[in-house]
Amino acid sequence: MYDDSTIIEHSWAHPEDFADIFDRHFATIHRYLARRAGSDTADDLASEVFTVALARRHSYDLARSSALPWLYGIAANVLRADQRRGRHRTAVIEPEVPLPDGAEPFEDQVVASLDARRALHALRPAWEQLSDDDMTTLLLYAWEDLSYEDIAVALMIPVGTVRSRLNRVRRRLREPEQGETTRTIRTTTLRSKELDR
Amino acid sequence: MNHDDFASLRAQRPDPQPPSDEVIRLAKEELMQRIQDEHSQPAPVVSSKANWGRRVRIGLAAATIAAVAGVGAVVAVTNHGPNPPSSISAQATPQQALESAARLVSYSQPAAGPIRHIRFRNETDPGDPTFDAYIRPNGSAMVGKAGGPLVETDGYLPTAELANLPSDPTNLRAAMTALAVKHGYGLPGQVEERALFRLAVDLLSDPGVSDGVKAGAYRVIAGFNLAAVRAKSLGMVEDAAGRPGIGLQFHFEEDANEVLVISQATGTLLSDTTTLSGGQPFSGQTYLLQENVSAIPTSAASR
């Protein structure tokens, strides 16, 4: 019934109301972190996103009815800080993560995490060229379905910068690797599976 | 693969398991602890995350016991819902006042029943009579002076069209534009925002419009080129019924001023009036009551 900005404004004086923001968005933020870094990391970091958001709620732009882009931005920063601390190696940029052979009975959460790694591993040659900023922008757009405007809010950058980052990523992903002018993501995936056998 | 919209990447989007109940409980417990800390120490606390991972992986059994109590506390403090935000400042700019009104209006009580009832005073009829309008879902209505006979009429917005309106101001403006064209708001030669303004006033005074859409309607107006329409805050004023509110003046046409009076405490639209440049009133309604009722009252329908 109440939009996020109303709740956050009221939480300035009544911080317990911020729990409503948690109820609305925890699962989404957890999913974002799990996609980027696996379920274990998401379990560890999703809570921190909301405690940081609680501490920063006084700076929230009340003109924005949905807090989700803001929370995505905090999540991206929490993830980046965690990487800097070296406590987690994110699947997205981890080139050494081995592919699962697909035959072992993983637990559900582990499977989900490895699925993410497998998908990203298939794209690895292209991904390795992306900066962390470009990667974050791309995944907010392609995996989280945020609009350019929402990404701009999340990352606190101009919309034009979002556009230019995504255009740069498009160019890079479109460029074939050296010596493989016809290589596609599909063949990369198939090749990876063949190597696993 | 269509790189242009990252179709392949979207297709490979992982679908991880949702967080377990234990993870949710522990995370919420952590948040509520921070809130408790804030109550005891006003300064905001930034998470240290010292033992979080360890607690998730190792301490589930013990933590679950504590979490049960924690969740109970969470329900207790969140079920009441937020109290209304502060009132509209008399010193606010038009845009600030409209934004405050948008937040306040979302706190009005939800109503029930298919019949929309609006009681209003027509300020340009002799004697400023009060009218009751009972609007059926299809837009037909029974309207008449309070205490007098009701007559059959139509032309109100159908309830279904109101129910389908989005609350997001960008989408709402687009939907309002379509609605304004469909229902003939505005006159040829008038600027689009004039038509949207008239429609917004109708939405704001209609009990069939959700609180969220009313908030969106205020934000649609706030998104106008306010300098172009010479929007001006009049500060605290009174409507024709003597109720105090924040007055906002707009100047869509050379020969007329539009004034909205908005409740400072609730964000409810109290009245809208159009005054010609010479000062004489052209039209004006003061909204005394808006509610949804289950049926047109028998006494009203038969009188």
Side-chain angles (χ1 to χ4, degrees):
Chain A
M1 178 177 179
Y2 310 113
D3 63 22
D4 292 344
S5 65
T6 303
I7 293 170
I8 290 173
E9 183 188 30
H10 192 68
S11 76
W12 292 353
H14 305 272
E16 62 273 15
D17 285 333
F18 199 81
D20 288 350
I21 298 297
F22 177 98
D23 291 340
R24 290 181 180 189
H25 300 305
F26 182 80
T28 302
I29 293 301
H30 183 278
R31 185 185 62 193
Y32 168 65
L33 293 169
R35 282 172 172 164
R36 289 209 56 178
S39 293
D40 286 347
T41 302
D43 288 350
D44 289 354
L45 298 184
S47 171
E48 185 173 353
V49 171
F50 286 86
T51 53
V52 170
L54 174 73
R56 294 181 183 171
R57 69 190 188 281
H58 294 279
S59 62
Y60 182 77
D61 180 357
L62 294 175
R64 304 197 176 281
S65 58
S66 171
L68 204 47
W70 177 63
L71 292 170
Y72 271 120
I74 293 172
N77 285 336
V78 166
L79 191 59
R80 188 178 293 121
D82 192 68
Q83 289 173 235
R84 282 199 296 267
R85 290 195 296 263
R87 284 169 44 182
H88 296 98
R89 308 291 297 274
T90 63
V92 168
I93 61 169
E94 172 52 87
E96 285 84 23
V97 175
L99 284 173
D101 60 17
E104 295 296 325
F106 294 106
E107 293 181 12
D108 288 348
Q109 287 188 339
V110 177
V111 168
S113 173
L114 292 178
D115 280 347
R117 297 179 187 199
R118 185 188 294 118
L120 290 160
H121 191 79
L123 291 167
R124 201 177 72 192
W127 285 98
E128 285 176 345
Q129 301 174 35
L130 299 181
S131 68
D132 186 62
D133 286 343
D134 285 354
M135 183 100 65
T136 297
T137 304
L138 173 60
L139 294 184
L140 288 175
Y141 179 70
W143 279 3
E144 304 304 316
D145 295 324
L146 263 62
S147 66
Y148 284 19
E149 290 75 17
D150 284 346
I151 295 170
V153 171
L155 304 182
M156 292 188 288
I157 55 177
V159 174
T161 303
V162 175
R163 189 173 292 112
S164 63
R165 282 184 184 178
L166 289 175
N167 285 338
R168 182 167 57 235
V169 170
R170 284 192 181 93
R171 285 196 301 274
R172 290 189 175 178
L173 292 184
R174 190 158 40 224
E175 289 173 358
E177 293 182 23
Q178 286 185 345
E180 289 188 286
T181 55
T182 60
R183 185 173 181 175
T184 65
I185 297 302
R186 180 179 176 81
T187 57
T188 305
T189 306
L190 292 173
R191 184 171 302 163
S192 297
K193 289 180 178 176
E194 289 168 4
L195 290 172
D196 287 334
R197 292 196 190 109
Chain B
M1 175 182 176
N2 180 0
H3 288 289
D4 286 344
D5 64 357
F6 307 106
S8 178
L9 181 58
R10 290 180 194 274
Q12 297 181 68
R13 174 166 47 194
D15 188 18
Q17 291 288 316
S20 67
D21 290 345
E22 287 79 10
V23 167
I24 295 172
R25 284 175 186 161
L26 286 169
K28 195 157 188 177
E29 184 189 33
E30 175 123 335
L31 179 67
M32 298 313 293
Q33 184 58 55
R34 298 290 170 157
I35 291 170
Q36 290 300 318
D37 292 346
E38 189 172 316
H39 273 304
S40 56
Q41 293 181 339
V45 180
V46 177
S47 171
S48 66
K49 293 292 295 152
N51 297 313
W52 175 246
R54 183 167 173 267
R55 285 167 60 198
V56 170
R57 294 203 180 89
I58 302 172
L60 284 179
T64 299
I65 297 171
V68 169
V71 168
V74 167
V75 171
V77 297
T78 58
N79 275 354
H80 66 82
N83 294 323
S86 54
S87 59
I88 307 171
S89 168
Q91 285 74 45
T93 65
Q95 190 160 27
Q96 290 168 338
L98 288 163
E99 177 57 35
S100 295
R103 292 201 298 275
L104 284 165
V105 78
S106 67
Y107 281 91
S108 60
Q109 293 299 310
I115 305 296
R116 294 137 58 194
H117 175 212
I118 305 172
R119 175 169 291 168
F120 60 96
R121 224 170 76 168
N122 195 335
E123 306 299 343
T124 51
D125 283 1
D128 303 336
T130 297
F131 286 85
D132 280 314
Y134 293 93
I135 308 163
R136 302 185 186 94
N138 66 1
S140 68
M142 299 289 285
V143 181
K145 291 181 182 177
L150 297 177
V151 297
E152 185 74 33
T153 186
D154 58 16
Y156 287 84
L157 294 169
T159 301
E161 292 189 6
L162 301 178
N164 290 331
L165 291 172
S167 57
D168 168 70
T170 302
N171 293 325
L172 178 59
R173 176 170 175 138
M176 287 173 63
T177 300
L179 209 57
V181 171
K182 179 179 178 182
H183 292 281
Y185 279 80
L187 298 170
Q190 288 182 335
V191 295
E192 177 193 355
E193 289 184 344
R194 173 67 164 78
L196 291 178
F197 182 83
R198 297 310 313 161
L199 177 56
V201 166
D202 279 0
L203 298 180
L204 288 165
S205 58
D206 195 312
V209 176
S210 72
D211 302 334
V213 172
K214 285 179 178 171
Y218 276 127
R219 291 183 173 121
V220 167
I221 300 173
F224 287 177
N225 185 341
L226 295 177
V229 296
R230 285 180 268 168
K232 184 169 94 175
S233 175
L234 304 177
M236 285 300 295
V237 297
E238 288 186 354
D239 70 4
R243 298 174 298 180
I246 299 294
L248 296 178
Q249 179 175 284
F250 305 86
H251 195 77
F252 290 97
E253 298 164 279
E254 283 306 312
D255 59 348
N257 286 323
E258 308 268 1
V259 174
L260 300 182
V261 179
I262 302 169
S263 166
Q264 188 180 29
T266 67
T268 303
L269 178 63
L270 299 178
S271 71
D272 73 287
T273 57
T274 303
T275 306
L276 299 180
S277 53
Q280 62 272 42
F282 177 75
S283 67
Q285 283 78 40
T286 299
Y287 303 102
L288 303 175
L289 175 66
Q290 49 175 292
E291 63 179 354
N292 284 342
V293 296
S294 57
I296 298 175
T298 305
S299 57
S302 60
R303 67 186 182 221

